[in-house]
């Protein structure tokens, strides 16, 4: 089943994101390789594709997991969560309707 993982960053998270981005993207690539990632990306802190020094406020990941517990465990072990970038994580079941 699909699960939406919605994160909120700590204030001024850009340096932490940059330091842990490679490991974070590697985990997402594993989901891609397994055909389990629907969408993933950050929320810019300002209304721009490239927010520059403003950074990001969190992320959205929608991926396939065997259970809510598995999705939560995956989110909790993300490098952003482990290294203080993330201040809050919400994981919910997600039903894809369109397209």
């Amino acid at each position: 089943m699909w699960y939406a993982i919605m994160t909120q960053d700590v204030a001024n998270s850009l340096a932490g994101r940059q330091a842990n981005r490679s490991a974070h993207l590697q985990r997402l690539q594993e989901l891609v390789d397994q055909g389990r990632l629907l969408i993933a990306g950050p929320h810019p802190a300002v209304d721009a594709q490239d927010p520059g020094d403003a950074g990001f406020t969190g992320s959205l990941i929608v991926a396939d997991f065997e259970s809510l517990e598995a999705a939560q465990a995956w989110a909790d072990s993300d490098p952003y969560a482990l290294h203080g970038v993330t201040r809050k994580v919400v994981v919910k079941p997600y039903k894809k309707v369109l397209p």
Side-chain angles (χ1 to χ4, degrees), residues 13-73:
S13 64
L14 187 57
R17 277 182 166 269
Q18 291 169 333
N20 294 284
R21 186 171 190 261
S22 179
H24 171 74
L25 292 178
Q26 182 178 5
R27 294 181 82 235
L28 290 171
Q29 186 60 51
E30 290 171 6
L31 293 176
V32 170
D33 294 346
Q34 297 165 3
R36 296 174 43 208
L37 185 66
L38 182 63
I39 193 168
H43 300 286
V46 295
D47 190 10
Q49 270 299 107
D50 181 358
D53 291 339
F56 301 91
T57 61
S59 297
L60 169 65
I61 298 165
V62 179
D64 180 33
F65 292 94
E66 61 189 46
S67 67
L68 179 60
E69 293 78 16
Q72 185 70 57

